Structure formats: C-alpha cells, structure tokens
Amino acid sequence: VQEVRWDGKDTLRHGSWTFIYSGREDKRHEVGVGVLLSKRAAEALTSSDCINERLLKVRLKTGITNMSLIVGYAPTEVANIREKELFYNQLDSIFGAVRKHDMCLLLGDFNARVGRDVGGYPSVIGPHGVGDRNDNRQRLLDTCSTHGLCIGGTLFQHKFIHQYTWTSNTTSRVRAQLDHIIINQRWRRSLQDCRTFRGA
C-alpha cells in the first residue's frame, strides 16, 4: 500500500488482518507505505523493518524458502534529483542486506514508465511493456539490472485496461503503468501472472 499518509511506524491488528505501516515523523500526513497481511501471512512473518516513509521491508517464512518483501513509493518524475538518488541509494542498501537464497519481491509505485523498448535490459523488461518512457525509468531499470530483478507487469500479455495503473486527471486522460511487481530472476518462474484490476 502506498500513500498511507499516517504518521510514525506501527503494527495494527484488526480481526484476522495485520497492517504494518511506515510514515513520516513530522505529522505532515504525506507519503507513507504499508503492507496488509492475512492471518496466515502474519503467522509466517519473521521480521519487519520500517525504514522510512518510502520504504518498508518484511520477511516471511514460506514453504520452500523465505520471502523478502520490499514495499516502495518512489519520488515522482518532477521531484528533485537529490530526493530520487536518496531513495534509490536506500533501496540498494536494502537489497545488499537481503539473503542470497530468499525469494525477493519489490512492490509499489515507482512512478517509472518502463515502456516497451527492451534496449539493453532484456532480462529486466519482458515483451509486454506499456507506453513511452520517463526519467524514472532509467533509475528503476539500473536497480533491477544490478540486483538481478525482472518487472512482472511486462512479462505477461493482457488487454491494455489490465496493464496501466494510473490515469491522469487532465482532459487528455493519459494512461501509464507506474506501479510494478518486481521479482528476482532466480524465482521468475514462481510468478505465474501479473495484471491490474480496475477500480477500488
């Protein structure tokens, strides 16, 4: 979950659900990330690390391996370069601490339009990317390439309405795929499908 907009860091339980979130410390009610776990997933939780308002990591004990799940909310395209570099440097540090044999999932809103052009990243981008590219694309692709990741939304063929994750509020109604599910290439075959579900 991105744009939680709650202050601080906490773990909340309601019925059979567990919600771990990480937000700002200055009560500005901006940004924020979280992960919602079912009862079964919460029982498999071995650790959680609320890094900051843009990054959160949880580790789950699964059947054959452990899963490191990283939730991210990258700065927008118009954010300053320093803010973007800080985010991706922190993301690199997190990947540096992920255990070698873990299945690693990177989920979130990366404000990155990766497009269709594989250009130098054939192991990162699949044949079913969406739309044109932006500057954030390069940062995300470099991170994926460095850490052996591939972008799930580009791997499976779907109708366009099941690929884009964002629509502009302008009259042109521009649509783009900004949110991504990313998996390490070692576990690529475990990802059986990836698509967008429309509406809330």
Side-chain angles (χ1 to χ4, degrees):
V1 181
Q2 292 79 41
E3 294 193 65
V4 174
R5 297 177 184 265
W6 290 353
D7 296 330
K9 303 168 183 179
D10 204 353
T11 300
L12 305 175
R13 290 177 179 83
H14 181 73
S16 61
W17 296 94
T18 300
F19 187 59
I20 302 168
Y21 72 90
S22 181
R24 296 180 69 111
E25 299 292 341
D26 57 8
K27 301 190 182 300
R28 288 177 58 184
H29 299 287
E30 296 175 348
V31 196
V33 289
V35 62
L36 184 64
L37 303 173
S38 66
K39 181 179 179 183
R40 184 176 176 194
E43 288 170 354
L45 183 69
T46 60
S47 65
S48 64
D49 187 7
C50 298
I51 296 138
N52 58 34
E53 70 274 10
R54 292 192 177 275
L55 288 164
L56 170 109
K57 177 186 167 205
V58 297
R59 191 163 189 253
L60 306 170
K61 177 72 177 168
T62 60
I64 56 173
T65 188
N66 290 305
M67 177 188 296
S68 287
L69 181 67
I70 303 163
V71 181
Y73 179 36
T76 62
E77 181 73 5
V78 296
N80 67 59
I81 293 173
R82 186 178 172 194
E83 189 179 358
K84 293 179 184 183
E85 287 176 351
L86 177 62
F87 174 82
Y88 281 100
N89 287 340
Q90 289 170 329
L91 191 54
D92 282 337
S93 297
I94 294 168
F95 277 116
V98 170
R99 297 189 189 175
K100 182 180 177 182
H101 298 291
D102 279 15
M103 176 189 291
C104 188
L105 285 174
L106 176 61
L107 315 169
D109 181 354
F110 294 93
N111 287 297
R113 302 180 191 192
V114 297
R116 294 189 176 109
D117 180 19
V118 175
Y121 298 94
S123 60
V124 175
I125 303 175
H128 305 292
V130 176
D132 47 357
R133 303 169 290 176
N134 65 1
D135 176 61
N136 284 345
R137 169 193 197 257
Q138 196 62 49
R139 296 175 192 280
L140 181 62
L141 293 183
D142 287 344
T143 298
C144 290
S145 180
T146 299
H147 299 288
L149 306 167
C150 55
I151 300 173
T154 66
L155 300 174
F156 305 98
Q157 185 172 13
H158 288 290
K159 293 179 180 178
F160 182 60
I161 60 170
H162 297 143
Q163 289 182 300
Y164 67 85
T165 63
W166 173 82
T167 304
S168 71
N169 56 8
T170 61
T171 54
S172 60
R173 306 294 287 170
V174 175
R175 293 176 170 92
Q177 186 182 62
L178 301 179
D179 304 82
H180 301 285
I181 295 175
I182 301 168
I183 190 167
N184 48 348
Q185 292 167 8
R186 177 178 183 170
W187 292 95
R188 155 67 185 90
R189 290 184 174 218
S190 297
L191 188 64
Q192 297 178 4
D193 197 7
C194 184
R195 57 158 284 192
T196 302
F197 287 84
R198 302 176 76 197

